[in-house]
């Protein structure tokens, strides 16, 4: 990382982060900047929250000197921002109000949630039984084009026909040749709702009525069924119930606040909000109309439009009912909680005031930087293309599909035996079919497995085999590997086809390339500004070499 980027990062980490470390009695002064002192404790607190990528690559006193310079630059930057009264800029005031309001809502919500009843062992076990948690099924299926075809298949099954044979003869699914066997256990989270409802209540050997899916009509048979013990799911159940109870508690509080603050809601005006969301045209008189009012405040149509745009993050409610639901559970809820927090004096708490001041300084620094670079950086298409071509090796993607063969064993000893047999000439595919425990394992995201041991990896990022194969591989094709620990088992495997990173077309990374150039040039402008500040205040900055040396010796 170059100095200019490091300086920029050091400063913005400083103004954005606050230390949670208690102050000690150290009064050792490391530097004086205009009329402020930087102590050893200031530097210690800063270095404790400094991310690794911003730490100096030097060691000893030079590393601490660089970090101290970051603190000095921060003081100079904020001194300049205060001279310009940036804290009074509307952009700063609005942004500060928004984040403070969010902190107040978070604080009072946490307090309400903390008052909920504690979970008991009995309630956890009751949830496990009531919701039939932990069940897993190993299914086979037959896919038909129509309900009539599916009904005919059910008639044949009831007359004693073999499910697997019917699947081979009549199923439209890709796994028909396997008798419709889906190859492993699935839990409820792995299955879409209509299939889940139609299969998880079946016992082993039973088959379902026709279930409509996006592919057609499915008949599902449960080959095996098992249940994860309560003890293994206890932590997960507790977390889910805890979260649900917290949500219920907040809802109850908000409902009571609606009464306490005399809420009145004009639901017929929600259509104005939809007009604003979808840019069909929102007249000024519509934008200003009150959507909800309560003692101490109002929410207007334009407030709701802005709020729904923010909470939706691009996913806008499709109709008035959805808009009403999101408005009630997010925007109105937070507005009432904010009023309650302020009525209880949360905003006057010392820790909130101290936190707010740190955020103010961070916003001032950000505003100063934005003012410095605004409108000063232009990136042409020719420059972006030139950067792309110069650094084209950095615009390569990991391949999407990798083909390999695997035998998965319960123990390392079994895996080593399989490896020895494969090296002595036995086909890995045959060994997989006879010995692999993969068919009984749960799925891995981005992987497709076949009984022959064939594995198709569609996403190498999350694959346990990436550490062996790397991001490109032409040298390991046909070579036996392992044992490798995978899902608490041991794998013997072979890469069947070479793969390499592919070049990402320019149009797909065009915006990223332009943003990279823009960031670099903005950093240059900011670094030049910092240099000018250092020169301007050179006579008002003093660094204590003795203090810095003493600080280094104690670290």
């Amino acid at each position: 990382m170059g100095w200019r980027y490091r300086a920029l990062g050091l400063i913005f980490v400083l103004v954005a982060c606050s230390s949670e470390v208690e102050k000690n009695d150290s009064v050792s002064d490391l530097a004086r900047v205009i009329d402020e002192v930087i102590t050893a404790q200031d530097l210690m607190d800063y270095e404790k929250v400094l991310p690794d990528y911003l730490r100096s690559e030097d060691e000893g006193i030079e590393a601490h000197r660089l970090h101290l310079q970051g603190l000095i630059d921060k003081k100079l930057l904020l001194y300049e921002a205060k001279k310009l009264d940036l804290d009074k800029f509307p952009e700063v005031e609005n942004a500060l109000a928004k984040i403070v309001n969010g902190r107040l809502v978070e604080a009072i919500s946490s307090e309400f949630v903390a008052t909920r009843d504690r979970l008991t062992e009995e309630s956890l076990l009751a949830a496990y039984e009531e919701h039939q948690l932990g069940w897993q099924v190993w299914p086979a299926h037959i896919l038909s084009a129509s309900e009539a075809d599916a009904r005919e298949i059910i008639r044949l099954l009831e007359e004693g026909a073999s499910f697997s044979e019917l699947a081979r003869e009549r199923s439209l699914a890709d796994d028909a040749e396997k008798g419709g066997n889906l190859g492993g256990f699935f839990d409820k989270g792995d299955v879409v709702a209509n299939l889940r409802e139609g299969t998880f209540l079946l016992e082993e050997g039973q088959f379902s009525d026709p279930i409509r899916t996006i592919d057609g009509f499915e008949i599902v048979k449960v080959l095996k069924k098992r249940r994860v013990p309560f003890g293994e799911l206890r932590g997960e159940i507790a977390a889910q119930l805890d979260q649900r109870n917290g949500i219920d508690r907040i809802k109850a509080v908000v409902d009571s606040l609606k009464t306490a603050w005399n809420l009145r809601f004009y639901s017929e005006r929600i259509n104005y909000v939809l007009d604003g969301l979808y840019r069909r045209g929102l007249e000024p008189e519509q934008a200003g109309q009150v959507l909800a009012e309560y003692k101490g405040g109002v929410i207007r149509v334009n407030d709701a439009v802005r709020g729904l745009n923010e909470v939706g993050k691009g996913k806008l409610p499709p109709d008035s009912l959805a808009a009403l639901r999101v408005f009630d559970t997010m925007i109105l809820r937070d507005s009432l909680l904010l009023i309650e927090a302020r009525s209880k004096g949360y905003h006057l708490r010392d820790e909130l005031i101290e936190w707010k001041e740190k955020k103010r300084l961070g916003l001032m620094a950000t505003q100063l930087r934005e003012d410095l670079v605004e409108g000063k950086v232009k990136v042409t298409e020719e420059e972006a293309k030139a950067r792309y071509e110069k650094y084209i090796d950095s615009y390569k993607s990991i391949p999407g599909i990798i083909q390999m063969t695997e035998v998965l064993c319960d123990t390392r000893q079994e895996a080593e035996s399989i490896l020895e047999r494969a090296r002595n000439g036995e086909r890995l595919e045959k060994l997989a079919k006879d010995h692999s425990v993969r068919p009984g394992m749960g799925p891995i995201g981005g992987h497709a497995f076949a009984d022959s041991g064939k594995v198709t990896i569609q996403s190498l990022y999350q694959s346990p085999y990436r550490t062996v194969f790397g991001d490109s591989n032409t040298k390991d094709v046909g070579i036996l590997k392992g044992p490798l620990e995978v899902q608490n088992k041991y794998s013997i495997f072979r890469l069947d086809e070479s793969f390499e990173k592919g070049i990402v077309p320019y149009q797909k990374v065009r915006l990223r390339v332009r943003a990279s150039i823009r960031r670099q040039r903005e950093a240059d402008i900011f670094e030049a500004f910092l240099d000018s500040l250092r020169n301007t205040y050179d006579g008002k900055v003093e660094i204590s070499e003795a203090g810095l040396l003493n600080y280094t010796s104690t670290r």
Side-chain angles (χ1 to χ4, degrees), residues 189-214:
D190 298 323
V191 183
V192 295
N194 54 346
L195 283 173
R196 180 167 62 241
E197 294 168 2
T199 58
F200 275 81
L201 295 179
L202 298 175
E203 298 301 328
E204 287 188 4
Q206 292 183 332
F207 51 84
S208 70
D209 289 331
I211 302 171
R212 180 154 199 167
T213 69
I214 60 172

Short mmCIF file of all heavy atoms in Angstrom, two decimals, residues 189-214:
data_model
loop_
_atom_site.label_atom_id
_atom_site.label_comp_id
_atom_site.label_asym_id
_atom_site.label_seq_id
_atom_site.Cartn_x
_atom_site.Cartn_y
_atom_site.Cartn_z
N GLY A 189 -35.02 -27.02 5.53
CA GLY A 189 -34.47 -25.81 4.93
C GLY A 189 -33.96 -26.01 3.52
O GLY A 189 -33.73 -25.04 2.79
N ASP A 190 -33.78 -27.27 3.09
CA ASP A 190 -33.27 -27.55 1.75
C ASP A 190 -34.37 -27.70 0.71
O ASP A 190 -34.08 -27.88 -0.47
CB ASP A 190 -32.45 -28.86 1.75
CG ASP A 190 -31.24 -28.79 2.66
OD1 ASP A 190 -30.63 -27.72 2.72
OD2 ASP A 190 -30.93 -29.80 3.31
N VAL A 191 -35.62 -27.62 1.14
CA VAL A 191 -36.75 -27.96 0.27
C VAL A 191 -37.73 -26.80 0.21
O VAL A 191 -38.00 -26.14 1.22
CB VAL A 191 -37.47 -29.22 0.82
CG1 VAL A 191 -38.59 -29.64 -0.12
CG2 VAL A 191 -36.47 -30.36 1.01
N VAL A 192 -38.28 -26.55 -0.99
CA VAL A 192 -39.28 -25.49 -1.15
C VAL A 192 -40.54 -25.87 -0.39
O VAL A 192 -40.80 -27.05 -0.11
CB VAL A 192 -39.61 -25.24 -2.64
CG1 VAL A 192 -38.39 -24.71 -3.36
CG2 VAL A 192 -40.11 -26.51 -3.30
N ALA A 193 -41.38 -24.87 -0.07
CA ALA A 193 -42.48 -25.06 0.86
C ALA A 193 -43.46 -26.15 0.45
O ALA A 193 -43.82 -27.01 1.27
CB ALA A 193 -43.23 -23.73 1.05
N ASN A 194 -43.89 -26.17 -0.82
CA ASN A 194 -44.90 -27.16 -1.20
C ASN A 194 -44.38 -28.58 -1.16
O ASN A 194 -45.09 -29.52 -0.77
CB ASN A 194 -45.50 -26.83 -2.57
CG ASN A 194 -44.44 -26.68 -3.64
OD1 ASN A 194 -43.26 -26.55 -3.35
ND2 ASN A 194 -44.87 -26.66 -4.90
N LEU A 195 -43.11 -28.79 -1.51
CA LEU A 195 -42.52 -30.12 -1.39
C LEU A 195 -42.31 -30.49 0.08
O LEU A 195 -42.47 -31.64 0.47
CB LEU A 195 -41.19 -30.18 -2.14
CG LEU A 195 -41.28 -30.29 -3.67
CD1 LEU A 195 -39.91 -30.16 -4.29
CD2 LEU A 195 -41.93 -31.60 -4.08
N ARG A 196 -41.93 -29.50 0.89
CA ARG A 196 -41.72 -29.74 2.31
C ARG A 196 -43.02 -30.22 2.98
O ARG A 196 -43.04 -31.20 3.72
CB ARG A 196 -41.22 -28.46 2.98
CG ARG A 196 -40.95 -28.59 4.46
CD ARG A 196 -40.17 -27.40 4.97
NE ARG A 196 -40.88 -26.15 4.82
CZ ARG A 196 -40.46 -25.13 4.08
NH1 ARG A 196 -39.33 -25.22 3.41
NH2 ARG A 196 -41.15 -24.01 4.01
N GLU A 197 -44.11 -29.53 2.68
CA GLU A 197 -45.39 -29.88 3.28
C GLU A 197 -45.87 -31.25 2.80
O GLU A 197 -46.55 -31.97 3.54
CB GLU A 197 -46.43 -28.81 2.94
CG GLU A 197 -46.12 -27.46 3.58
CD GLU A 197 -46.98 -26.34 3.01
OE1 GLU A 197 -47.83 -26.64 2.14
OE2 GLU A 197 -46.79 -25.18 3.41
N GLY A 198 -45.50 -31.62 1.58
CA GLY A 198 -45.99 -32.87 1.02
C GLY A 198 -45.16 -34.09 1.34
O GLY A 198 -45.60 -35.21 1.06
N THR A 199 -43.97 -33.91 1.91
CA THR A 199 -43.08 -35.06 2.08
C THR A 199 -42.64 -35.31 3.52
O THR A 199 -42.45 -36.47 3.90
CB THR A 199 -41.82 -34.91 1.22
OG1 THR A 199 -41.14 -33.69 1.58
CG2 THR A 199 -42.17 -34.87 -0.25
N PHE A 200 -42.47 -34.27 4.33
CA PHE A 200 -41.86 -34.48 5.64
C PHE A 200 -42.78 -35.16 6.65
O PHE A 200 -42.33 -35.60 7.70
CB PHE A 200 -41.32 -33.16 6.20
CG PHE A 200 -39.94 -32.85 5.71
CD1 PHE A 200 -39.75 -32.28 4.46
CD2 PHE A 200 -38.82 -33.16 6.46
CE1 PHE A 200 -38.47 -32.00 3.98
CE2 PHE A 200 -37.54 -32.90 6.00
CZ PHE A 200 -37.37 -32.33 4.76
N LEU A 201 -44.07 -35.24 6.33
CA LEU A 201 -44.99 -35.97 7.21
C LEU A 201 -45.11 -37.44 6.81
O LEU A 201 -45.76 -38.23 7.50
CB LEU A 201 -46.37 -35.30 7.20
CG LEU A 201 -46.42 -33.89 7.80
CD1 LEU A 201 -47.84 -33.33 7.72
CD2 LEU A 201 -45.93 -33.89 9.24
N LEU A 202 -44.50 -37.82 5.69
CA LEU A 202 -44.54 -39.21 5.25
C LEU A 202 -43.59 -40.06 6.08
O LEU A 202 -42.57 -39.58 6.59
CB LEU A 202 -44.14 -39.30 3.77
CG LEU A 202 -45.02 -38.57 2.76
CD1 LEU A 202 -44.40 -38.68 1.37
CD2 LEU A 202 -46.44 -39.13 2.76
N GLU A 203 -43.92 -41.35 6.20
CA GLU A 203 -43.03 -42.29 6.84
C GLU A 203 -42.19 -42.98 5.77
O GLU A 203 -42.47 -42.87 4.57
CB GLU A 203 -43.83 -43.33 7.63
CG GLU A 203 -44.67 -42.74 8.76
CD GLU A 203 -43.84 -42.00 9.79
OE1 GLU A 203 -42.68 -42.41 10.01
OE2 GLU A 203 -44.34 -41.01 10.36
N GLU A 204 -41.16 -43.70 6.22
CA GLU A 204 -40.30 -44.44 5.27
C GLU A 204 -41.15 -45.39 4.43
O GLU A 204 -42.01 -46.12 4.97
CB GLU A 204 -39.22 -45.21 6.01
CG GLU A 204 -38.12 -44.34 6.57
CD GLU A 204 -36.96 -45.17 7.12
OE1 GLU A 204 -37.01 -46.41 6.99
OE2 GLU A 204 -36.02 -44.56 7.68
N GLY A 205 -40.93 -45.36 3.12
CA GLY A 205 -41.65 -46.24 2.22
C GLY A 205 -42.93 -45.64 1.66
O GLY A 205 -43.46 -46.16 0.67
N GLN A 206 -43.44 -44.57 2.25
CA GLN A 206 -44.66 -43.94 1.75
C GLN A 206 -44.34 -42.97 0.62
O GLN A 206 -43.23 -42.45 0.53
CB GLN A 206 -45.38 -43.19 2.88
CG GLN A 206 -45.96 -44.08 3.95
CD GLN A 206 -46.72 -43.29 5.00
OE1 GLN A 206 -46.43 -42.13 5.25
NE2 GLN A 206 -47.72 -43.92 5.61
N PHE A 207 -45.33 -42.75 -0.24
CA PHE A 207 -45.16 -41.77 -1.32
C PHE A 207 -46.30 -40.76 -1.26
O PHE A 207 -47.37 -41.02 -0.71
CB PHE A 207 -45.08 -42.45 -2.70
CG PHE A 207 -46.20 -43.40 -2.99
CD1 PHE A 207 -47.43 -42.96 -3.48
CD2 PHE A 207 -46.02 -44.77 -2.78
CE1 PHE A 207 -48.44 -43.85 -3.75
CE2 PHE A 207 -47.05 -45.66 -3.05
CZ PHE A 207 -48.27 -45.20 -3.53
N SER A 208 -46.05 -39.61 -1.85
CA SER A 208 -46.96 -38.47 -1.75
C SER A 208 -48.01 -38.48 -2.85
O SER A 208 -47.91 -39.22 -3.84
CB SER A 208 -46.17 -37.17 -1.84
OG SER A 208 -45.67 -36.99 -3.16
N ASP A 209 -49.01 -37.62 -2.68
CA ASP A 209 -49.91 -37.28 -3.78
C ASP A 209 -49.13 -36.41 -4.77
O ASP A 209 -48.03 -35.92 -4.44
CB ASP A 209 -51.13 -36.52 -3.25
CG ASP A 209 -52.06 -37.42 -2.46
OD1 ASP A 209 -52.10 -38.62 -2.76
OD2 ASP A 209 -52.73 -36.92 -1.53
N PRO A 210 -49.67 -36.17 -5.96
CA PRO A 210 -48.98 -35.28 -6.90
C PRO A 210 -48.79 -33.89 -6.30
O PRO A 210 -49.71 -33.31 -5.71
CB PRO A 210 -49.92 -35.23 -8.10
CG PRO A 210 -50.69 -36.50 -8.02
CD PRO A 210 -50.87 -36.78 -6.56
N ILE A 211 -47.58 -33.37 -6.39
CA ILE A 211 -47.24 -32.04 -5.86
C ILE A 211 -46.84 -31.16 -7.03
O ILE A 211 -45.91 -31.49 -7.78
CB ILE A 211 -46.08 -32.13 -4.85
CG1 ILE A 211 -46.45 -33.07 -3.70
CG2 ILE A 211 -45.74 -30.73 -4.33
CD1 ILE A 211 -45.29 -33.37 -2.77
N ARG A 212 -47.50 -30.05 -7.18
CA ARG A 212 -47.20 -29.16 -8.30
C ARG A 212 -45.94 -28.36 -7.99
O ARG A 212 -45.79 -27.78 -6.92
CB ARG A 212 -48.36 -28.20 -8.56
CG ARG A 212 -48.09 -27.26 -9.71
CD ARG A 212 -49.35 -26.80 -10.37
NE ARG A 212 -49.09 -26.27 -11.69
CZ ARG A 212 -50.02 -26.02 -12.58
NH1 ARG A 212 -51.29 -26.28 -12.30
NH2 ARG A 212 -49.72 -25.54 -13.77
N THR A 213 -45.01 -28.34 -8.94
CA THR A 213 -43.78 -27.54 -8.83
C THR A 213 -43.60 -26.77 -10.14
O THR A 213 -44.39 -26.92 -11.08
CB THR A 213 -42.55 -28.44 -8.60
OG1 THR A 213 -42.30 -29.21 -9.79
CG2 THR A 213 -42.78 -29.38 -7.43
N ILE A 214 -42.56 -25.96 -10.20
CA ILE A 214 -42.33 -25.19 -11.42
C ILE A 214 -41.97 -26.08 -12.59
O ILE A 214 -42.08 -25.68 -13.76
CB ILE A 214 -41.21 -24.14 -11.21
CG1 ILE A 214 -39.90 -24.82 -10.81
CG2 ILE A 214 -41.62 -23.11 -10.17
CD1 ILE A 214 -38.72 -23.86 -10.76
#
